[in-house]
Amino acid sequence: MGKNVLVIAGSSEIGTEFINLLLSEGYCVFATYRTPINIEHTNLQKLRLDVCSNDDFLELFENIKGHNFRAIVNCAGCVVASPVELLDEAELSRQLDVNLFGLLRVIKNLSVLLEYDGRIINVSSMASYGVFPFISPYCISKMSCDILLRAFCNESGIKCVSVRPGVIQTKFWTEGIEQNKNNFKNFTGKYEKIGNYLVENAKKNSVKSLKPVHVAQAIFKAVCKSNPAPVINVGADSFLCAFAVRFLPEFLLNSIIKIGIEFKSR
């Protein structure tokens, strides 16, 4: 088994935890970043990458093309929040550019560097089950990523894994509030209370939820196993979403979601 792993968006909390775990197990890590990665190690090489830039991918490939990788792990992502009827098309495009087209660029530009029996691992989300109103762009992007990954696996024969965490304690939540400042202006009138709830819930999730190390450990198992499961749920809430979508009739699931929205909007 090879000891090189490429981590896309290594400066995220999940990415950082995963990098530290890899280094502790003797792996050589190539990690991309947009914001600095605060880790120094002789087995860590840091390279800048914006997943929305094709030129950045071409430059990255030139810098690492002499190496083969056991795994390529994509941790890049952002979230767009808005009621559907007020969703700006440009914001939906931004969401898809980072999450969906970012993954596509990883596959197109870097999968050729995988060693025999290598794998692509995408950090998806329980949002890929599509049951969360008001963050439908995020749900769409994550569900689309899972479809893209499954198709690529079946077409190429390369192993692909979708890691689907539930709520994780990261700055993703507070960053999401900042990135959605303009979108939260859409939460007026009948949507005002749910908008306030989303902001307060995001603040709570950033400090009271499952720690990123649990996701990092799940990713690491997918790197090490000879035949990892194509879908790995992390957290009780993620397993619950998977169960609900698989076993509950859609009308019942929709009723539960609507009741939840009404309760949170009081």
Side-chain angles (χ1 to χ4, degrees):
M1 183 178 73
K3 299 292 275 188
N4 292 335
V5 175
L6 174 59
V7 182
I8 307 298
S11 55
S12 66
E13 282 102 330
I14 291 172
T16 299
E17 290 284 359
F18 179 56
I19 289 169
N20 281 324
L21 182 54
L22 288 169
L23 293 172
S24 70
E25 295 293 332
Y27 283 80
C28 293
V29 182
F30 296 72
T32 76
Y33 66 91
R34 281 203 314 155
T35 57
I37 299 172
N38 297 317
I39 304 172
E40 298 299 331
H41 197 284
T42 54
N43 286 343
L44 173 63
Q45 183 173 339
K46 296 180 275 192
L47 308 113
R48 194 183 184 289
L49 174 72
D50 181 344
V51 296
C52 296
S53 170
N54 286 308
D55 288 342
D56 277 14
F57 272 101
L58 292 175
E59 184 176 347
L60 175 64
F61 180 82
E62 288 299 315
N63 286 331
I64 64 175
K65 64 182 180 182
H67 302 275
N68 290 323
F69 295 91
R70 168 67 175 180
I72 299 172
V73 180
N74 179 40
C75 300
C78 70
V79 60
V80 169
S82 174
V84 171
E85 64 182 301
L86 300 172
L87 176 61
D88 190 296
E89 291 181 16
E91 281 296 276
L92 179 57
S93 294
R94 177 173 72 89
Q95 178 75 90
L96 296 177
D97 197 23
V98 175
N99 291 12
L100 177 59
F101 290 103
L103 176 60
L104 178 60
R105 293 179 189 111
V106 169
I107 291 170
K108 291 178 67 174
N109 290 284
L110 304 175
S111 60
V112 68
L113 298 176
L114 287 169
E115 64 183 36
Y116 175 77
D117 203 37
R119 66 283 318 267
I120 290 180
I121 302 169
N122 188 53
V123 179
S124 185
S125 167
M126 68 176 178
S128 68
Y129 293 111
V131 298
F132 298 103
F134 303 106
I135 56 166
S136 61
Y138 184 63
C139 295
I140 290 167
S141 70
K142 290 300 187 180
M143 183 179 288
S144 298
C145 283
D146 289 343
I147 293 169
L148 189 75
L149 208 62
R150 186 185 308 122
F152 176 65
C153 173
N154 290 331
E155 293 165 0
S156 67
I158 292 173
K159 292 184 175 71
C160 295
V161 179
S162 171
V163 177
R164 301 178 186 175
V167 176
I168 304 298
Q169 188 182 125
T170 70
K171 63 185 178 184
F172 182 80
W173 297 99
T174 51
E175 287 179 348
I177 294 172
E178 181 65 27
Q179 293 167 2
N180 282 278
K181 270 186 175 179
N182 288 330
N183 292 329
F184 277 120
K185 294 175 183 177
N186 293 338
F187 289 90
T188 58
K190 63 181 179 180
Y191 297 125
E192 184 175 358
K193 289 183 179 179
I194 195 69
N196 293 335
Y197 165 78
L198 289 176
V199 172
E200 292 307 312
N201 193 56
K203 291 176 181 177
K204 183 190 74 174
N205 288 341
S206 68
V207 294
K208 292 183 179 180
S209 47
L210 203 64
K211 293 190 180 298
V213 66
H214 296 286
V215 185
Q217 290 168 345
I219 300 170
F220 184 72
K221 288 178 182 177
V223 170
C224 297
K225 284 187 176 181
S226 57
N227 288 298
V231 174
I232 299 174
N233 295 96
V234 183
D237 46 357
S238 182
F239 281 99
L240 181 60
C241 278
F243 175 87
V245 169
R246 182 174 182 181
F247 293 106
L248 295 184
E250 186 168 342
F251 80 89
L252 178 58
L253 182 56
N254 288 343
S255 296
I256 293 170
I257 292 169
K258 289 174 183 176
I259 291 169
I261 292 171
E262 290 173 2
F263 177 78
K264 292 166 185 175
S265 299
R266 290 177 180 176

